[in-house]
Amino acid sequence: MRLRPSYPLRTLCGTAALALTLPVSAPGRAAAAVPAHAVYLQNYVTGRNAADSGGTVAAHNPKGNEDHQQWLPVAVTGGHQLQNADEPGTCLGRSGTSAVTAACGADGTTWTITVGADGTYTVAVPGTSQYLTGSSADSGAVGIGSAGDLARWYLTPVAYATTAASGDTRTLDQVTFLTAHNAFANGADGDFASFPVSLFPNQARGISRQLSDGVRGFMLDAYTVSGRAVLCHNSCDGVGNPVPLATDLQRIVDFLKANPGQFATVFLEDYTSSDVLKSSLASVNGLYDVLYRPDREGVATKGWPTMADLAARGRQLLIFSDRTRASDTANGWAARDTFGVLYQREWTVENYWSMGGGIGDSDWSCYSRWGTDRPLTADSAAFHPLFVMNHFRDYPIGSTIQTDNGKLLNRAQNFCTPAARKKPNYLAVDRYDLGSPTPLSTVGTLNTYVLTPGQ
């Protein structure tokens, strides 16, 4: 369980940071006209959506069709109205410096929508230099203010058009992989937690079986015990026989070598020092034969390679750490990417890890676990961060997982894809063997298409 509290992204060093500052649109996504279909008014800076909140308009975390966040631009005399998609006759309006909802056609419900840079728009009070302006705070009021980045909006489609995928010509950021949350906490490979947490494994099958079943992303929690990295859940206190990190990495490397063309990714919730982690990797036979190093290939400025290119070169494994470069520097440790472990926040975006408790109501909203300094919409003209979509709860309860996993495709397509403006690359779930359709089936569906450029 990924319980480390979220905190703002610190200033990045390295090549990825050069290409990832504020979110911008992907190639081919430059806005050409005001769309005539339902959209989310998604703020350029924060990634939050403008939502009707009982007559006022507030900045809310993206939540699909559950929160009055969908708007239909309609051309009218003097500009456009923005009609709320699920509240007939209700439009985005203004009262003084506040954004409100009002009856369509009432004073203050006509706007001038203008195409801006990087696929964004401004939504202005006609004939003025006053603009619809987002809030940097969750549930903060959307208001009327001056020009600036908070006055820039994506008109993100509620439903993206898609194009059929064409096999290995897809780039890495166009592929979706089944990912096992707490893959090591499986009750099959060894001890992973003390009682009573040990009674609630996140997976039911060991790493080798996960690989043969089609899992290609592995979330592992690494701690230091007796000078080596081992895998424990929350803590290694009271864990009698934890699996060494190197053991599971060896299983993954051996599988990749036996299956050319397959690709896997390891995500470390990382509580180790650089020295301990480096030593563990060095003990894995053949790891550096298959390890992929995008930091050495200019990916941050050129974009991701195709799957065919990776297969031809035998580059089959990515390893990410959730530590930051700044924290390693502060501790006097070597940078992890000097030995092939990438800092995840420089290469990916990731939604908040919890959908709620093990039972009861769930929260389907899809927003960054790293705050508005690293929104899910973070992008650049050449380099698109990989999108890690978490879909699990605080506690793994089988009956709830069965239901949640059956809704994975709906959430991926209708909640998280528009929230991130990109298709998920990693679907992280508990008990990937449960659900109807199964998570593997959902991954298969997502891999039949790519998002159509120009939206």
Side-chain angles (χ1 to χ4, degrees), residues 38-40 50 64-65 68-72 83-86 158 414:
V39 299
Y40 296 101
N65 62 354
H68 307 306
Q69 298 182 1
Q70 300 178 358
W71 306 88
L72 179 65
Q83 300 179 359
N84 194 275
D86 59 355
V158 167
N414 299 320

Side-chain angles (χ1 to χ4, degrees), residues 13-14 270 273-275 277-278 281 288 293 295-296 321 323-343 346:
C13 301
D270 192 353
S273 70
S274 292
D275 287 347
L277 184 58
K278 181 178 181 180
L281 266 60
Y288 288 99
R293 297 293 304 273
D295 53 325
R296 293 183 173 178
S321 169
R323 295 196 71 89
T324 64
R325 189 182 299 274
S327 68
D328 280 350
T329 299
N331 282 305
W333 295 339
R336 288 164 203 258
D337 54 5
T338 60
F339 53 89
V341 176
L342 304 179
Y343 293 102
E346 297 181 8

Side-chain angles (χ1 to χ4, degrees), residues 1 182 184-188 190-204 233-234 238-239 394-399 401 430-431:
M1 188 179 303
N182 286 347
F184 67 98
N186 53 56
D191 297 335
F192 63 90
S194 59
F195 180 85
V197 176
S198 59
L199 299 178
F200 300 95
N202 297 91
Q203 307 299 334
H233 193 20
N234 295 340
V239 182
D394 299 2
Y395 307 104
I397 306 299
S399 58
I401 295 169
D430 285 334
R431 291 296 303 275

Side-chain angles (χ1 to χ4, degrees), residues 388-445:
V388 181
M389 179 186 152
N390 294 313
H391 185 80
F392 48 83
R393 297 178 183 246
D394 299 2
Y395 307 104
I397 306 299
S399 58
T400 304
I401 295 169
Q402 175 87 24
T403 300
D404 287 346
N405 285 355
K407 298 177 179 179
L408 178 60
L409 182 62
N410 181 14
R411 188 173 182 229
Q413 292 180 321
N414 299 320
F415 288 71
C416 291
T417 290
R421 295 175 54 83
K422 56 181 74 76
K423 189 174 71 169
N425 300 109
Y426 298 94
L427 291 186
V429 298
D430 285 334
R431 291 296 303 275
Y432 69 86
D433 55 304
L434 298 179
S436 180
T438 64
L440 186 60
S441 175
T442 293
V443 167
T445 298

Side-chain angles (χ1 to χ4, degrees), residues 45-116:
V45 173
T46 68
R48 293 193 173 106
N49 292 339
D52 179 12
S53 182
T56 63
V57 178
H60 285 181
N61 292 323
K63 202 171 184 179
N65 62 354
E66 293 187 353
D67 190 41
H68 307 306
Q69 298 182 1
Q70 300 178 358
W71 306 88
L72 179 65
V74 177
V76 297
T77 301
H80 281 83
Q81 290 178 347
L82 288 160
Q83 300 179 359
N84 194 275
D86 59 355
E87 296 176 313
T90 298
C91 279
L92 179 71
R94 53 192 177 272
S95 177
T97 59
S98 298
V100 298
T101 52
C104 295
D107 289 345
T109 59
T110 298
W111 302 87
T112 300
I113 303 177
T114 304
V115 176

Side-chain angles (χ1 to χ4, degrees), residues 8-173:
L9 176 67
R10 299 180 180 178
T11 302
L12 297 177
C13 301
T15 55
L18 298 177
L20 290 173
T21 52
L22 287 173
V24 299
S25 67
R29 293 184 189 172
V34 177
H37 51 71
V39 299
Y40 296 101
L41 288 172
Q42 188 172 25
N43 194 262
Y44 170 78
V45 173
T46 68
R48 293 193 173 106
N49 292 339
D52 179 12
S53 182
T56 63
V57 178
H60 285 181
N61 292 323
K63 202 171 184 179
N65 62 354
E66 293 187 353
D67 190 41
H68 307 306
Q69 298 182 1
Q70 300 178 358
W71 306 88
L72 179 65
V74 177
V76 297
T77 301
H80 281 83
Q81 290 178 347
L82 288 160
Q83 300 179 359
N84 194 275
D86 59 355
E87 296 176 313
T90 298
C91 279
L92 179 71
R94 53 192 177 272
S95 177
T97 59
S98 298
V100 298
T101 52
C104 295
D107 289 345
T109 59
T110 298
W111 302 87
T112 300
I113 303 177
T114 304
V115 176
D118 303 326
T120 64
Y121 297 78
T122 57
V123 181
V125 179
T128 75
S129 58
Q130 294 294 293
Y131 301 90
L132 189 73
T133 305
S135 170
S136 59
D138 183 27
S139 299
V142 174
I144 312 300
S146 57
D149 282 341
L150 280 171
R152 299 171 65 185
W153 300 85
Y154 293 116
L155 301 188
T156 299
V158 167
Y160 271 87
T162 62
T163 303
S166 52
D168 287 346
T169 62
R170 292 171 297 169
T171 52
L172 181 61
D173 58 313

